[in-house]
Amino acid sequence: MELQYTIKRSSKRKKLGITVERDRSIVVHAPMTLPDAKVQELVDSKRQWIYQKLQHPQKYQDLPHPPGKELVNGESALFLGYQYQIEFVTSGTKKIQFDRKFIIPEAMVTQKKDVMRRWYIEKAEEIILAKAQYYAKNLGVQYRSVNIVDNRYRWGSCTVADNLNFNWRLIKAPMFVIEYIVVHELAHLIESNHTARFWNIVKAQLATTEKAKRWLVENGQLLEEEI
């Protein structure tokens, strides 16, 4: 079976790296000057490892239907793990309001997905940043910055410069899932690898760690829908 992969090149990269994303796409990170033939040779040498990653239970399986939905009256959208009804109104507000349902001005109907996305990002900045501050204090760690980013197949990351990045789509997940991702990345400031020590740090903070991991495996694709 021929492996299909995408090559992403960078002038800053010195070595080749391979990642298998949650949707089972293969991304090869390569230096600018590395020939394609050499990339293929290295991918072939990692073929068994790639197949193992492709079959990992945390990788998504194909959806039985295309993801996404239309934003119309009576439809619903996820927020903190629950589906809330969408209602378009002709007056009373000039921006999205949330009161056990999404209340959206009818004037925004032509840009409804964009305004919902902006609303999600604002809430992610508000809630996720507060959680990062809270758990960083609990863990006794310091980070340089916390950023809400658009990274479709990664929930969070901790860079070598101690910057934390979180996917804005997390705001659709239950709070215990958000807390798990936040603590997970903060724990990397103490232990960079997923060692037994790392997981002990995470679980000491959150008794719901395994529950959160299961939720992401079972429901993660819902978060990655366009809205």
Side-chain angles (χ1 to χ4, degrees):
M1 173 178 150
E2 184 178 353
L3 290 171
Q4 302 294 323
Y5 56 88
T6 300
I7 303 175
K8 292 187 177 180
R9 296 183 180 275
S10 171
S11 58
K12 296 180 180 180
R13 178 171 283 276
K14 303 301 181 184
K15 297 181 180 180
L16 182 139
I18 302 173
T19 58
V20 179
E21 303 292 3
R22 287 198 304 275
D23 67 343
R24 294 183 290 166
S25 61
I26 303 166
V27 180
V28 179
H29 306 273
M32 293 294 295
T33 56
L34 191 69
D36 286 352
K38 187 65 174 178
V39 171
Q40 181 65 58
E41 179 183 328
L42 291 169
V43 168
D44 287 340
S45 72
K46 293 287 188 179
R47 185 175 290 267
Q48 184 175 355
W49 177 87
I50 293 171
Y51 284 141
Q52 289 174 345
K53 290 294 182 181
L54 287 171
Q55 299 304 316
H56 194 280
Q58 290 189 14
K59 303 300 178 187
Y60 292 151
Q61 301 303 309
D62 293 332
L63 281 171
H65 54 79
K69 60 177 70 176
E70 292 297 319
L71 289 185
V72 295
N73 270 326
E75 184 58 274
S76 61
L78 267 176
F79 178 51
L80 295 178
Y82 294 96
Q83 294 279 0
Y84 292 99
Q85 190 175 31
I86 294 168
E87 179 182 340
F88 288 96
V89 295
T90 56
S91 62
T93 182
K94 293 184 178 180
K95 61 181 182 179
I96 291 181
Q97 301 287 333
F98 180 76
D99 184 12
R100 298 186 181 180
K101 62 182 174 182
F102 291 99
I103 302 169
I104 305 177
E106 203 166 72
M108 294 179 173
V109 68
T110 58
Q111 51 179 330
K112 50 198 175 184
K113 289 189 176 182
D114 288 336
V115 297
M116 276 295 295
R117 184 177 183 274
R118 289 197 295 269
W119 186 88
Y120 276 136
I121 291 172
E122 288 176 5
K123 290 300 176 183
E125 289 173 344
E126 175 187 326
I127 293 172
I128 295 176
L129 269 62
K131 289 294 181 183
Q133 291 173 352
Y134 174 80
Y135 282 107
K137 184 177 180 180
N138 280 5
L139 287 163
V141 297
Q142 292 185 330
Y143 49 80
R144 181 170 296 179
S145 68
V146 177
N147 308 294
I148 303 301
V149 299
D150 187 0
N151 191 334
R152 201 165 191 86
Y153 298 119
R154 289 186 187 275
W155 300 129
S157 63
C158 177
T159 73
V160 293
D162 294 345
N163 297 315
L164 305 177
N165 299 314
F166 296 103
N167 190 328
W168 66 265
R169 294 170 179 82
L170 271 177
I171 202 61
K172 304 178 191 180
M175 191 64 77
F176 70 88
V177 173
I178 294 173
E179 291 175 331
Y180 161 65
I181 297 298
V182 169
V183 171
H184 184 117
E185 299 310 329
L186 286 168
H188 279 309
L189 296 173
I190 302 172
E191 175 61 59
S192 59
N193 297 313
H194 292 120
T195 61
R197 177 174 179 246
F198 170 88
W199 289 114
N200 287 338
I201 293 168
V202 174
K203 291 176 181 178
Q205 290 293 316
L206 295 172
T208 53
T209 292
E210 294 303 324
K211 179 182 176 183
K213 290 163 69 175
R214 287 195 302 272
W215 193 96
L216 284 169
V217 171
E218 295 169 4
N219 303 285
Q221 277 175 299
L222 296 177
L223 308 185
E224 290 176 358
E225 291 181 357
E226 188 171 352
I227 291 298

